[in-house]
């Protein structure tokens, strides 16, 4: 392994004065403006509106339009660098959290801040992350590491509290780790792979510190973390949005890091779908749980990361090529997800009545899903109002399980249309007992049991029914729920969930997860003092208190990306 610090000079040959973010805020896209200037465009009149808008964007890119808006009616998408860089809810200088509203913070908030600060990990005197859990009762586990995904809520808490330095350090350190040579046995991993986790090794004899990272080569199942690179891009955008400091994302090494991640997931292959094909256990659910194929968690993070990258990439020679590929992929991905992953009452009924073995282009049941494969529970679970993105769609396979992270990220990234976002919240409200119960929030629903558990998990004793990744309840998910609630204008749902969490989290010492149908029991093998449980709570509290924080983790809908094919109307009512 080369030293992470040996790579300071990568990307030397990138031009310096390039302006960040040619496409500025994708959330502010108004493709209709393009249509006002048809003379600029060569539009196929038969194509749908969303196809047109993205075609036009490619045309605009091909013609080398500048980063800044001009007065000639070119789209706003090239304009507002300020929007991405406008600081969100910044309160620099505060180390001790205070309530914006003037009321004293909940006593738990102070405890949580203390716990979060205790979890800080330092490298050569600088804070570079937070440890997964302070509970080291089981030494051979890897909870003494800084996990990329676990650090995200910590990072958001620090950003919200006006302490961006640690986030910057983390982004730069993990970037260095990315440039390591990564090997499992004799096989070399892709250059862009980001680590799942890293730790600082202290050598007391030589009085030195080194970083050591895991890219999947030590992880259970030897799976690379597909989510890490996506979270890294999402965090870079959160940092930029929160601080107004565009210089970090503009660094040649950050631009290169982003492009390397994108190169991994935008590469051409044998795919027939725009979704990303993954191995089981490549994300938050990092053990075999039947999430191989096209898991919703990864698809939603992929979509979000692509949109963030679009905001952050420079329009230099290398960046421009990626921007074009991203735009095309986003277009196809949103269509695919909104059409085939979306499930509501009407869609369920349609699947129930599906014909099978349809061959031609006119097939309705495109993936040849057998109605007999519909699980019994789904008929009761599906409310009359509401819907969600299901867990996975691949040939002859629909995984109907509800996954929390993917659905919340779908709302935040606007992969879900506003109607679908509302429907997801409706479903959470009407299935409160199942999804929230006595501790927010189920990682997925329902649990798999007996024979199915044996086949799907390979008899995993950690993932027994209603435990851990198999229907366990994870307090960290509170921040995602809260952000989704704030975005959809339903803060009361988050408030209710936070109040439930507040009755137990401190008393139980911030467990990693809870078990049981209602999430009533502290998890079988849950760590205590789990940092992302602490940080998730803090972020949820701060976001409710000051909804302007939402901007860090949310991107508005591109109105032109609506699905052409609406197979269900229940969420449009
Ligand atoms: C478990 C979780 C994973 C998390 C890690 C550290 O392995 O499944 O999502 O990143 O613990 O907390």
């Amino acid at each position: 392994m080369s030293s992470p610090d040996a790579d300071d000079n990568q990307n030397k040959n990138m031009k310096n004065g390039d302006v960040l973010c040619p496409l500025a805020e994708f959330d502010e896209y108004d493709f209709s403006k393009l249509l006002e200037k048809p003379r600029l465009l060569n539009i196929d009149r038969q194509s749908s509106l969303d196809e047109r808008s993205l075609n036009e964007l490619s045309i605009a890119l091909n013609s080398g339009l500048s980063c800044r808006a001009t007065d000639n009616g070119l789209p706003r998408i090239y304009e507002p660098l300020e929007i991405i860089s406008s600081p969100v809810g910044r309160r620099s200088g505060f180390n001790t959290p205070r309530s914006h509203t003037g009321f004293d913070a909940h006593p738990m908030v102070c405890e949580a801040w203390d716990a979060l600060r205790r979890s800080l990990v330092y490298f050569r005197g600088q804070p570079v992350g937070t440890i997964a859990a302070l509970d080291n009762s089981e030494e051979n586990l890897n909870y003494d590491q800084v996990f990329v995904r676990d650090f995200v809520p910590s990072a958001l808490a620090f950003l919200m509290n006006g302490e961006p330095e640690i986030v910057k350090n983390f982004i730069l350190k993990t970037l260095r780790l990315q440039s390591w040579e990564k090997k499992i046995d004799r096989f070399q991993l892709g250059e862009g792979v980001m680590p799942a986790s890293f730790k600082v090794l202290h050598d007391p004899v030589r009085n030195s510190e080194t970083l050591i990272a895991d890219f999947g080569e030590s992880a259970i199942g030897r799976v690379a973390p597909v989510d890490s690179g996506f979270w890294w891009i999402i965090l870079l955008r959160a940092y930029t949005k929160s601080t107004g400091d565009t210089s970090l994302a503009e660094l040649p090494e950050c631009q290169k890091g982003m492009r390397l991640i994108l190169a991994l997931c935008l590469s051409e292959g044998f795919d027939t779908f725009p979704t990303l094909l993954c191995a089981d256990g490549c994300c938050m659910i990092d053990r075999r749980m039947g999430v191989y194929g096209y898991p919703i968690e990864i698809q939603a993070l992929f979509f979000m990361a692509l949109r963030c990258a679009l905001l952050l990439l420079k329009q230099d020679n290398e960046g421009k090529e990626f921007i074009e590929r991203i735009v095309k992929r986003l277009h196809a991905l949103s269509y695919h997800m909104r059409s085939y992953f979306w499930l509501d009452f009407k869609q369920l009924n349609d699947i129930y009545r599906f014909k099978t073995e349809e061959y031609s282009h006119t097939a309705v049941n495109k993936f040849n899903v057998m109605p007999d494969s519909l699980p019994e529970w789904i008929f009761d679970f599906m409310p009359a109002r509401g819907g969600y993105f299901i867990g996975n769609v691949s040939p002859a396979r629909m995984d109907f399980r509800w996954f929390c992270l993917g659905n919340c990220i779908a709302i935040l990234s606007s992969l879900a249309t506003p109607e679908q976002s509302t429907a997801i919240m409706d479903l959470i409200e009407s299935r409160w007992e199942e999804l929230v119960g006595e501790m927010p929030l189920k990682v997925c629903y329902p649990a798999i049991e007996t024979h199915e558990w044996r086949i799907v998990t390979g008899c995993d004793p950690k993932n027994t029914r209603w435990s851990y990744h198999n229907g366990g309840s994870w307090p960290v998910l509170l921040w995602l729920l809260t952000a989704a609630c704030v975005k959809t204008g339903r803060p009361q749902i988050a408030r209710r969930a936070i109040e439930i969490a507040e009755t137990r989290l401190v008393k139980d010492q911030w467990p990693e997860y809870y078990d049981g149908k209602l999430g009533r029991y502290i998890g079988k093998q849950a760590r205590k003092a789990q940092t992302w449980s602490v940080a998730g709570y803090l972020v949820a509290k701060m976001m409710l208190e000051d909804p302007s924080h939402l901007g860090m983790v949310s991107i508005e809908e591109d109105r032109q990306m609506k699905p052409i094919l609406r197979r269900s109307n229940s969420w449009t009512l």
Side-chain angles (χ1 to χ4, degrees):
M1 281 177 192
S2 69
S3 150
D5 284 329
D7 202 34
D8 266 334
N9 297 326
Q10 60 175 337
N11 267 322
K12 261 192 211 138
N13 50 0
M14 281 191 70
K15 281 180 236 131
N16 274 334
D18 295 320
V19 183
L20 174 70
C21 183
L23 296 177
E25 279 291 85
F26 196 51
D27 42 317
E28 291 293 304
Y29 278 14
D30 182 356
F31 287 110
S32 56
K33 285 216 165 173
L34 284 162
L35 300 175
E36 287 164 17
K37 294 277 164 193
R39 68 200 150 78
L40 285 174
L41 309 161
N42 173 20
I43 301 167
D44 173 3
R45 298 282 158 202
Q46 298 307 311
S47 62
S48 68
L49 190 58
D50 49 343
E51 278 169 344
R52 269 205 310 266
S53 59
L54 289 161
N55 286 341
E56 289 152 11
L57 183 53
S58 312
I59 293 164
L61 288 164
N62 285 332
S63 64
L65 294 172
S66 81
C67 301
R68 295 290 180 174
T70 58
D71 288 327
N72 67 357
L74 282 171
R76 274 200 296 156
I77 47 179
Y78 298 98
E79 183 181 31
L81 187 62
E82 309 71 52
I83 293 177
I84 190 172
S85 62
S86 62
V88 184
R90 221 163 75 177
R91 292 191 290 140
S92 61
F94 281 115
N95 271 348
T96 316
R98 289 262 198 81
S99 167
H100 287 286
T101 53
F103 294 106
D104 284 338
H106 192 284
M108 248 176 92
V109 169
C110 298
E111 288 217 29
W113 272 108
D114 288 345
L116 186 60
R117 293 196 193 288
R118 276 197 301 274
S119 75
L120 285 173
V121 171
Y122 290 83
F123 178 64
R124 299 181 187 163
Q126 286 189 322
V128 289
T130 49
I131 200 168
L134 274 170
D135 170 5
N136 280 325
S137 46
E138 300 226 21
E139 271 175 24
N140 55 352
L141 297 178
N142 55 357
Y143 287 84
D144 59 344
Q145 313 228 354
V146 179
F147 279 75
V148 170
R149 72 176 74 84
D150 293 42
F151 182 66
V152 172
S154 300
L156 296 176
F158 287 119
L159 288 174
M160 288 175 183
N161 203 42
E163 299 176 73
E165 273 314 299
I166 179 174
V167 182
K168 186 176 181 175
N169 295 340
F170 171 89
I171 287 171
L172 290 171
K173 277 289 162 264
T174 42
L175 188 62
R176 297 271 178 75
L177 298 173
Q178 184 197 37
S179 64
W180 281 15
E181 187 183 280
K182 298 157 276 224
K183 261 190 173 175
I184 296 189
D185 297 332
R186 297 177 189 184
F187 185 67
Q188 191 157 335
L189 273 68
E191 215 186 331
V193 176
M194 279 283 181
S197 62
F198 65 87
K199 72 179 189 183
V200 179
L201 281 186
H202 302 266
D203 182 341
V205 181
R206 294 166 58 200
N207 194 24
S208 67
E209 285 180 342
T210 40
L211 288 183
I212 168 152
D214 174 23
F215 297 88
E217 74 273 30
S218 335
I220 288 167
R222 301 293 181 265
V223 185
V226 178
D227 62 341
S228 285
F230 296 151
W231 280 122
W232 186 88
I233 294 176
I234 293 166
L235 199 55
L236 181 59
R237 188 251 173 181
Y239 170 90
T240 311
K241 179 99 179 171
S242 157
T243 58
D245 169 18
T246 56
S247 66
L248 179 65
E250 280 176 334
L251 288 175
E253 55 265 43
C254 275
Q255 293 284 312
K256 183 180 178 195
M258 243 185 307
R259 287 197 309 269
L260 286 174
I261 297 167
L262 294 167
L264 285 178
C265 53
L266 294 174
S267 64
E268 289 179 357
F270 289 99
D271 302 301
T272 43
F273 313 131
T275 34
L276 203 62
L277 185 61
C278 306
D280 219 338
C282 65
C283 50
M284 174 187 177
I285 297 179
D286 54 2
R287 298 166 77 90
R288 186 172 158 196
M289 261 302 293
V291 291
Y292 63 92
Y294 303 90
I296 180 65
E297 172 170 343
I298 290 298
Q299 312 315 318
L301 286 172
F302 180 30
F303 185 87
M304 177 87 168
L306 289 182
R307 293 203 61 190
C308 290
L310 213 44
L311 302 172
L312 299 166
L313 280 172
K314 287 182 180 177
Q315 200 183 7
D316 49 21
N317 282 343
E318 291 148 306
K320 218 166 108 179
E321 186 208 319
F322 278 96
I323 289 167
E324 280 184 47
R325 285 159 74 187
I326 291 173
V327 168
K328 280 192 196 144
R329 191 63 170 258
L330 278 173
H331 178 72
L333 185 59
S334 60
Y335 176 80
H336 184 94
M337 298 298 296
R338 290 169 183 182
S339 306
Y340 305 122
F341 275 64
W342 182 252
L343 191 75
D344 56 15
F345 184 79
K346 163 83 168 54
Q347 177 67 3
L348 176 59
N349 210 151
D350 288 350
I351 298 171
Y352 177 65
R353 290 165 52 78
F354 263 173
K355 291 192 182 64
T356 58
E357 316 295 326
E358 299 171 297
Y359 285 96
S360 78
H361 286 284
T362 53
V364 177
N365 181 4
K366 293 210 170 95
F367 305 104
N368 201 34
V369 174
M370 309 294 158
D372 272 355
S373 69
L374 278 161
E376 273 304 307
W377 62 266
I378 189 71
F379 296 103
D380 294 330
F381 181 69
M382 183 58 76
R385 258 174 84 99
Y388 65 104
F389 289 100
I390 63 171
N392 221 307
V393 176
S394 59
R397 174 179 175 235
M398 289 176 100
D399 178 349
F400 291 93
R401 279 176 294 173
W402 175 90
F403 287 85
C404 177
L405 199 154
N407 275 280
C408 290
I409 293 287
I411 292 176
L412 295 177
S413 63
S414 294
L415 169 60
T417 63
E419 294 86 353
Q420 287 173 329
S421 298
T422 302
I424 293 170
M425 299 313 297
D426 287 343
L427 181 126
I428 293 174
E429 257 192 326
S430 47
R431 293 292 170 255
W432 189 258
E433 188 162 283
E434 290 88 340
L435 304 179
V436 179
E438 294 187 24
M439 179 51 69
L441 196 63
K442 286 275 189 312
V443 65
C444 67
Y445 181 89
I448 44 182
E449 328 186 22
T450 57
H451 184 59
E452 196 184 8
W453 164 78
R454 261 177 238 119
I455 302 295
V456 172
T457 72
C459 302
D460 187 347
K462 253 191 126 174
N463 276 333
T464 50
R465 64 181 179 160
W466 306 114
S467 182
Y468 202 38
H469 303 130
N470 187 6
S473 300
W474 292 64
V476 62
L477 297 170
L478 253 186
W479 84 262
L480 283 153
L481 174 72
T482 305
C485 287
V486 171
K487 180 152 183 181
T488 51
R490 317 266 285 260
Q492 68 286 0
I493 299 182
R495 212 162 280 132
R496 218 174 131 196
I498 291 172
E499 274 168 22
I500 296 174
E502 281 174 341
T503 61
R504 295 205 47 187
L505 280 183
V506 168
K507 199 169 61 179
D508 297 342
Q509 297 164 46
W510 308 100
E512 179 186 16
Y513 63 94
Y514 286 77
D515 285 359
K517 252 189 176 164
L518 293 174
R520 181 181 288 169
Y521 299 93
I522 298 175
K524 216 174 0 184
Q525 296 190 38
R527 291 308 99 224
K528 298 285 183 71
Q530 182 80 21
T531 303
W532 71 355
S533 299
V534 173
Y537 167 74
L538 280 175
V539 172
K541 284 296 266 193
M542 285 191 277
M543 186 109 55
L544 258 195
E545 189 185 307
D546 180 357
S548 76
H549 289 314
L550 178 70
M552 271 187 228
V553 287
S554 168
I555 304 186
E556 286 312 310
E557 192 197 21
D558 161 18
R559 286 181 299 282
Q560 308 305 325
M561 255 197 212
K562 290 222 159 96
I564 304 161
L565 217 183
R566 287 229 169 126
R567 294 192 292 179
S568 167
N569 288 324
S570 65
W571 44 268
T572 57
L573 294 175

